[in-house]
Amino acid sequence: MPTPEGPRLAGVVGWPIGHSLSPALHRFWLERAGLEGVFLPLAVMPGKLENALRGLACAGFSGVNVTVPHKQAALAAVDELDPLAARVGAVNLVTMTRDGHLRGANSDVGGFLASLDSSAPDWRKVGESAILIGAGGAARAVAVALLDAGVRHLVILNRDPGRAASLAAALDDPRIEAAGLGTFPDVAASAGLLVQATPAGMAGQPPLDIDLAAMPAGAVVYDLVYRPRETALLAKARARGLATVDGLGMLAHQAVPAFRAFYGAEARADAATLDVLAGLAS
Ligand code: NAP
């Protein structure tokens, strides 16, 4: 139902923004729920985030998702920060009131875990020791999710080992070990879960060149990349008989709390939703 002020307004801020799948996703859920609501792609230049957020709040927006390159800048632009967003060091969801109050949250952490739980429900049985490849913003959200989910050992591997060490130092957890990507063959045999959180393997990018032969049977391989849905890494894992999870699930699941905050209704990151996203991402 529209509010007395008209349909609820929300959107996604990024620069550029044309590639974002969020507008189509939220519009699919609005239509499926029979709700009247608006979701706009909002191109906001770097350096203009806070002005844009304050203006959107005053214009009656209930909130926005935040994407590249604003996720870190949003930390400083909001009035109130959810503790999880502070820990991850990134905001991907801002809720707002008409008097201009901005609250920053992070739903990438929960989105990653919800997609892992739903696509590979037994991962906890094999994933007590996990390998995470990457040390950028996405890797940081995944690391927090896995630590909070109770993994006993987390090996963070990055092309630049210094960046893996910095991430480990920032998260300050004795369960973390950090090293260069070249050490993958030494640690692969003891990990039940491998998460790939770099752009490697995306359309137009070279694939990640690692050998999965040593990974134990029953291991789960999760690739955050969703364009293409099946990366070369996932194809290799599938050929080895390992369980695979693609990045579309995280994209769908991180949007569920956003939809609730924007429109006051529940959305489901179900098979029909993933089909819609797969069609858009291909
Ligand atoms: P980012 O900050 O640009 O990622 C940088 C990280 O990737 C660094 O650790 C970098 O290593 C590493 N890297 C880049 N190219 C590499 C290559 N060819 N080989 C090995 N390592 C490489 O990006 P991000 O924001 O963290 O996102 C990472 C990926 O996750 C992107 O593909 C993004 O689309 C995806 N993602 C998906 C979702 C989802 O919902 N499914 C959500 C967020 C992100 P160095 O430090 O050595 O440079």
Side-chain angles (χ1 to χ4, degrees):
M1 287 290 288
T3 67
E5 299 168 311
R8 292 209 195 193
L9 307 174
V12 55
V13 293
W15 183 268
I17 199 61
H19 66 285
S20 175
L21 300 181
S22 292
L25 173 60
H26 283 272
R27 287 172 195 160
F28 168 70
W29 281 339
L30 282 167
E31 198 179 329
R32 188 163 74 170
L35 289 171
E36 206 182 324
V38 173
F39 192 100
L40 297 173
L42 299 159
V44 174
M45 285 168 68
K48 299 291 183 195
L49 180 69
E50 185 169 351
N51 283 347
L53 293 176
R54 304 253 171 233
L56 292 168
C58 294
F61 273 61
S62 50
V64 289
N65 277 126
V66 178
T67 189
V68 178
H70 297 306
K71 287 188 184 187
Q72 280 78 36
L75 287 171
V78 295
D79 303 304
E80 190 189 344
L81 197 55
D82 182 272
L84 184 65
R87 216 163 120 233
V88 176
V91 164
N92 77 322
L93 172 61
V94 176
T95 50
M96 44 187 68
T97 56
R98 200 180 266 281
D99 62 3
H101 187 79
L102 307 175
R103 185 170 198 280
N106 186 299
S107 66
D108 279 337
V109 172
F112 167 76
L113 209 54
S115 66
L116 181 56
D117 280 337
S118 85
S119 301
D122 290 336
W123 77 269
R124 285 164 209 268
K125 288 184 195 154
V126 292
E128 285 194 326
S129 182
I131 298 173
L132 168 60
I133 296 179
R140 192 167 167 132
V142 170
V144 167
L146 291 175
L147 292 169
D148 287 1
V151 293
R152 275 197 305 134
H153 187 211
L154 178 63
V155 183
I156 302 177
L157 302 181
N158 196 47
R159 191 172 55 179
D160 169 1
R163 232 175 136 193
S166 300
L167 177 53
L171 293 174
D172 190 23
D173 190 303
R175 294 171 290 170
I176 302 180
E177 184 187 330
L181 188 50
T183 61
F184 178 78
D186 306 331
V187 293
S190 60
L193 173 67
L194 169 64
V195 183
Q196 194 306 106
T198 83
M202 264 172 75
Q205 298 267 355
L208 197 69
D209 186 21
I210 54 171
D211 186 356
L212 301 179
M215 287 205 73
V220 177
V221 178
Y222 189 129
D223 198 330
L224 259 67
V225 169
Y226 53 79
R227 271 191 176 117
R229 190 170 185 183
E230 184 174 79
T231 58
L233 180 71
L234 290 189
K236 221 192 289 188
R238 196 165 49 82
R240 247 223 62 194
L242 304 178
T244 61
V245 186
D246 64 65
L248 280 182
M250 178 172 173
L251 187 69
H253 280 278
Q254 63 77 31
V256 170
F259 190 83
R260 187 182 304 126
F262 299 156
Y263 306 112
E266 288 304 314
R268 289 184 320 280
D270 54 8
T273 300
L274 295 181
D275 283 349
V276 168
L277 288 175
L280 293 163
S282 58

